């Protein structure tokens, strides 16, 4: 049976009908993952959860051990991954509270450990990353969003920045010229590492704020947290539908 892994916030484990059975501590060749992996069951299906930023939420985007996270999930049996990401909206359609299942990504990060293929290698390995997200998994998320009646876009380009600071208005203008619809800080190298491990991977992105310069005034954490709280019900509903499919 396939085992879906969900990477996101700790609140995602509060699905009605979800039974968490075990917290698994994993050591990897790349160090420890962000948190213990939670193993549970939903609708008769095994599911794994990993808190990307740790438990409690304490690890900044540029300090996440992405390699350990992905390696640990593969090690405990994950066969596919849904990543839940809070993002900023660049495209006019991507207002606060809007969902997007991106189809492409542009990496603006620097200095992150981003590959398993380095060091003392027997041969150089290149993985095809033309289409970074698994299409079948994307379609399942899109169908679940539509069934939930959530405002959503079935495609978009995710621009991943280094963080932890938010972007300048000029940086967002540049990203918009590049074709980005969304901006976030955790999409890479997570997606690429999943591809290196041959794990189907897709992103469920919730827009929590307009990107810099896209709305009057400053971006506040209070507003971001308010939208996150409001959107969590729909996120849980989508995940429940995907797990039940």
């Amino acid at each position: 049976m396939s085992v879906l892994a969900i990477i996101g916030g700790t609140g995602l484990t509060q699905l009605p009908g979800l039974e968490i059975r075990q917290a698994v501590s994993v050591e990897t060749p790349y160090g420890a993952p962000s948190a213990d992996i939670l193993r549970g069951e939903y609708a008769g299906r095994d599911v794994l959860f990993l808190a990307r930023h740790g438990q409690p939420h304490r690890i900044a985007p540029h300090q996440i051990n992405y390699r350990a996270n992905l390696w640990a999930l593969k090690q405990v049996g994950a066969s596919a991954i849904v990543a839940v990401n809070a993002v900023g909206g660049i495209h006019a359609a991507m207002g606060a509270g809007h969902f997007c299942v991106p189809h492409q990504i542009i990496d603006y990060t620097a200095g992150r450990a981003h590959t398993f293929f380095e060091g003392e290698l027997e041969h150089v390995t290149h993985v095809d990353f033309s289409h970074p997200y698994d299409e079948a998994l994307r379609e399942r998320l899109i169908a679940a969003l539509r069934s939930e009646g959530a405002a959503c876009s079935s495609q978009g380009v995710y621009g991943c920045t280094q963080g932890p600071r938010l972007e300048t208005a000029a940086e967002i203008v540049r990203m918009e010229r590049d074709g980005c619809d969304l901006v976030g800080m955790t999409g890479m190298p997570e997606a690429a590492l999943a591809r290196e491990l041959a794990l189907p991977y897709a992103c469920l992105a919730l827009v929590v704020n307009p990107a810099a310069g896209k709305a009057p005034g400053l971006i506040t954490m209070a507003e971001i947290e308010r939208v996150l709280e409001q959107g969590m019900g729909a996120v849980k509903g989508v995940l429940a539908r995907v797990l039940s499919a």
Side-chain angles (χ1 to χ4, degrees), residues 164-179:
R165 67 166 177 84
L166 298 176
E167 300 71 36
T168 69
E171 286 170 333
I172 293 300
V173 169
R174 180 190 68 161
M175 294 176 71
E176 189 169 26
R177 286 200 304 264
D178 288 349

Side-chain angles (χ1 to χ4, degrees), residues 174-199:
R174 180 190 68 161
M175 294 176 71
E176 189 169 26
R177 286 200 304 264
D178 288 349
C180 295
D181 302 299
L182 309 164
V183 57
M185 300 177 189
T186 54
M188 287 289 285
E190 198 172 88
L193 293 168
R195 179 61 51 87
E196 289 187 353
L197 292 175
L199 286 170

Side-chain angles (χ1 to χ4, degrees), residues 7 66-67 69-71 73-74 78-83 114-117 127-129 132-134 137 187-202:
I7 304 177
Y66 293 96
R67 292 193 299 184
N69 285 354
L70 272 293
W71 190 274
L73 287 171
K74 177 85 170 183
S79 54
I81 295 173
V82 169
H114 64 281
T115 182
F116 296 113
F117 300 125
V127 296
D128 188 299
F129 203 51
Y133 301 108
D134 181 77
L137 201 49
M188 287 289 285
E190 198 172 88
L193 293 168
R195 179 61 51 87
E196 289 187 353
L197 292 175
L199 286 170
Y201 177 99

Side-chain angles (χ1 to χ4, degrees), residues 89-96 98-99 151-153 181-182 207:
I90 297 177
H91 191 282
M94 307 292 176
H98 192 83
F99 285 92
C152 65
S153 296
D181 302 299
L182 309 164
V207 180

